[in-house]
Amino acid sequence: MLREPRSGRLAAWGNALLAGAVSPDAAAASITGEDVTHRVTDLPLAAGRTGVEPVPVGLTLALGRLRALGVRGLRVALPAAGHPLGLTGPPEFNERALEVGEAVLAPEAGIGLVPVVHSAGPDGGEPGQLADPRFGPADTHTEVVWECLPVRVAPPADVPTLSEAERELAEAMRSATEALTRLDVAGSGPVADAALEAYRARAEAGREVLAPGYPPRAVRVLELAQRVGALVSIAQGDGGDGRAYGGAVSASEIATRSALLRPVERTARRAQVAAYNAYAEERERDAGR
């Protein structure tokens, strides 16, 4: 999982805006990142009015609206098949979030936001994205539309505390490294070395792991979760079986590797959600005092 989820950026920088740590324009720019644009559809109207905005709106307006609707903290969900991580229902929202593997929840407003990604360029981008053969390699661009859907106000599914996530990650990293080393797939061969080096360069490029306002422990947990996710991605390889990295390639070894990596990947996802949700959890605890 080398890719930072867009839901993580939206929640982190949206929370920084709610905390007054960044301006609306700075939050919108950080959320958009390398994408061309982000828009929000079906955003609820201002408090006291019923219905939704008739046309998609920009992030700056959407984040301001969420604050006006009383949202105190945004939360992340990173569900996968059989693992509704961070979801609260109803089924319609859960199914939509599961389709794309991520979502943001704004419980106080009773809505969740699911990203729909459209890419125009030579490769077509990620699954489900739109491709346009008219563009050259340098012209690939991505647009994101966040769909607002009703959510149930309930405890999110299977989200650990930061301390639990940190402990689980440390153990997962140790056990996975030992097991994958025995299988000779912990990063063997020049392709794996290049992938690991690229990840290290990206991690050390001065990027902000989390937005201002998050506790240091959340930053630490997210960094470790991203390293564990990188290990899983590199061990699996481009085709998902590790063949690209010159390790074990028999059917039984591939099955063994997959069985080892599945709980590690799950642990990394849980830890990411715990880190992104730390701000909202802290605000909730303060409100209950």
Side-chain angles (χ1 to χ4, degrees), residues 64-79:
R65 178 68 51 78
L66 292 178
R67 181 166 55 184
L69 289 171
V71 174
R72 297 189 300 273
L74 300 172
R75 298 173 180 269
V76 169
L78 297 177

Side-chain angles (χ1 to χ4, degrees), residues 222-241:
L222 185 57
E223 286 179 320
L224 182 55
Q226 290 172 342
R227 288 202 296 273
V228 173
L231 172 67
V232 171
S233 295
I234 290 169
Q236 288 176 328
D238 292 339
D241 60 12

Side-chain angles (χ1 to χ4, degrees), residues 40-45 51-57 111 146-149:
V40 180
T41 64
D42 296 326
L43 180 71
L45 296 175
V52 299
E53 293 288 346
V55 296
V57 302
I111 62 171
W146 294 89
E147 298 179 345
C148 289
L149 298 166

Side-chain angles (χ1 to χ4, degrees), residues 160-169 214-222 271-279 282 285:
T161 65
L162 280 175
S163 59
E164 290 171 340
E166 194 168 30
R167 185 172 61 251
E168 292 171 2
L169 277 171
Y214 274 83
R217 190 172 206 170
V219 176
R220 188 167 67 244
V221 167
L222 185 57
Q272 285 192 68
V273 171
Y276 285 124
N277 289 4
Y279 173 86
E282 199 169 79
R285 284 195 298 271

Side-chain angles (χ1 to χ4, degrees), residues 45-265:
L45 296 175
R49 301 173 61 192
T50 59
V52 299
E53 293 288 346
V55 296
V57 302
L59 279 176
T60 303
L61 189 154
L63 291 171
R65 178 68 51 78
L66 292 178
R67 181 166 55 184
L69 289 171
V71 174
R72 297 189 300 273
L74 300 172
R75 298 173 180 269
V76 169
L78 297 177
H83 188 205
L85 175 61
L87 297 178
T88 62
E92 294 79 6
F93 174 75
N94 288 0
E95 290 169 8
R96 192 72 187 92
L98 184 57
E99 285 178 13
V100 299
E102 59 179 301
V104 172
L105 287 77
E108 293 86 0
I111 62 171
L113 299 96
V114 178
V116 179
V117 181
H118 301 276
S119 223
D123 298 324
E126 301 171 15
Q129 295 178 341
L130 304 179
D132 189 332
R134 297 173 298 171
F135 295 99
D139 298 314
T140 301
H141 66 275
T142 301
E143 299 179 353
V144 180
V145 175
W146 294 89
E147 298 179 345
C148 289
L149 298 166
V151 296
R152 183 179 298 148
V153 180
D158 198 36
V159 178
T161 65
L162 280 175
S163 59
E164 290 171 340
E166 194 168 30
R167 185 172 61 251
E168 292 171 2
L169 277 171
E171 178 57 34
M173 185 67 115
R174 283 194 299 270
S175 59
T177 300
E178 292 170 2
L180 291 171
T181 299
R182 289 198 301 272
L183 286 173
D184 191 28
V185 293
S188 57
V191 179
D193 292 341
L196 198 53
E197 189 58 36
Y199 169 74
R200 286 173 179 153
R202 178 173 178 260
E204 296 169 1
R207 68 186 177 92
E208 293 183 86
V209 177
L210 276 172
Y214 274 83
R217 190 172 206 170
V219 176
R220 188 167 67 244
V221 167
L222 185 57
E223 286 179 320
L224 182 55
Q226 290 172 342
R227 288 202 296 273
V228 173
L231 172 67
V232 171
S233 295
I234 290 169
Q236 288 176 328
D238 292 339
D241 60 12
R243 293 178 187 272
Y245 298 148
V249 293
S250 72
S252 62
E253 288 169 326
I254 291 172
T256 300
R257 179 193 300 113
S258 297
L260 287 168
L261 293 177
R262 197 172 300 114
V264 178
E265 188 275 338

